[in-house]
Amino acid sequence: MEKKIIVGSEEWCALPGLGIPAIKARVDSGAKTSCLHAYNIQTFNRAGEPWVSFEAHPLQNLRRPRVRCEARVLDKRTVRSSSGDAEKRLVIKTPISIGGSVWDIELTLTNRDSMGYRMLLGREAMMGRMLVDPSESFCLGEIPPSQLEEYYHDEHHMAGTGLRIGVLASNPDLYSNQRIMEAGAERGHRMTFLNIRQCYMKLDAAEPEVHYRDGRILNNLDAIIPRIRPSQTFYGCALTRHFESMGVYALNGSQSISQSRDKLYSLQLLQEGGLNIPISGFANSPMDTNELIDMVGGAPLIVKLLEGTQGRGVVLAETRKAAESVINAFKSLKVNLLVQEFIREAQGKDLRLFVVDGKVFAAIQREAAPGEFRANIHQGGTASVVKILPEERKLAIKAAKVLGLKVAGVDIIRSKKGPLLLEVNSSPGLEGIESATRKDVAGSMIMAIEKALKWRPTIPGVETIPSD
């Protein structure tokens, strides 16, 4: 019969499968399941199986070091805490090393920042192997601070050898953001979702920093993927610029994003680059309304707010009188707008070409809903796979290059004059194009970062990118 380990109410242990060499656990035979402190929890698939990546602060009351872990998901269970609250948690199985013995235990994952211990060891993990003396502590010995410092002095203990990539966005539940997080984790990278509103900057010539609201200092990222919503363009670009100044690689740079968000300026840059665009007019005064209408060939015509996105702020004026009313109404609100020729022959269809690192990775045709002229998916449009022409491919690649974008959603309309460039989006959505084409667009974005940083995967079965 195997001799049982005698433990106290708190003990040091290790989780070697997660890259955690030392963590203090609360030993609680009153709790059925064991639990580990985890945050930034992201699920993904690897070789057809569900996996989870997460980060942990293994040392009590400290936010450093930060360990990035990966494990296969065993289950998802509802667990009731000591306060009586029920919570659905992911369950993993991993080896525990304690008192010279090693065996597999099940751990649920949850944020234990508000708890005294970063790990709780429950009775299921101890069954048949341990005896608890609740009056004692550290029966198996203490770990001195010098030893902990040696364990955690650098990041070599961290599970995974991938890049540290932050997704700079607003909504972690958005399909596009979730897919990027999953794609990065699947390729072995340490993915972190960063809410733009919870980041703030320290401007210092000697030690510039980006801080996060939970106390982290975000100075150890290798790359960021900005996914900035239009309402946060100013602050999001300022944050991206600050990361760039610290040597963090931005998949789309702050200047490129700023240029693409200014519809007038981007059209001027595209025009300067010799790219075909619909005839457009811009004026600052309502006195010039009739001249603007004539400039684009009269009604019907399109009126666009410069700050609009996803088809919002775009109006079709079918008659001259309607055009005058719409333009003057917008002008009275002191908003900037563009007037653009209406391409009737397009019949409510346009093309979305997804450009990644100078190549068209995927393309779809978007078709407006009945009674609608806007083909945007967010406005009820439908997406289908389309075969693009060589001139359309060249137009999209050059448009992204002119604006300096590594990742771009380029919208093109087919006209009697040939393909015309409508717009270039620096944070294109992934749901419509991935669903229609079945292509891993999110993965292509991660691979573009790997190429830029000259990183090669070490995970078996993960595709590498061809070198130039």
Side-chain angles (χ1 to χ4, degrees), residues 249-262:
Y249 175 75
L251 185 55
N252 275 341
S254 55
Q255 183 177 347
S256 301
I257 297 170
S258 295
Q259 289 174 170
S260 70
R261 285 290 164 83
D262 186 330

Side-chain angles (χ1 to χ4, degrees), residues 419-441:
L420 300 175
L421 194 56
L422 288 178
E423 195 171 341
V424 182
N425 191 324
S426 58
S427 296
L430 306 188
E431 187 168 12
I433 200 159
E434 284 199 335
S435 299
T437 65
R438 301 297 179 188
K439 288 189 175 182
D440 183 9
V441 179

Side-chain angles (χ1 to χ4, degrees), residues 327-353:
I327 293 169
N328 290 332
F330 279 145
K331 290 286 185 186
S332 68
L333 297 173
K334 301 192 185 308
V335 294
N336 292 315
L337 56 86
L338 278 171
V339 176
Q340 211 165 61
E341 68 173 318
F342 177 62
I343 310 299
R344 190 186 298 273
E345 61 269 26
Q347 299 181 323
K349 298 175 184 177
D350 70 12
L351 307 177
R352 162 60 65 89
L353 280 67

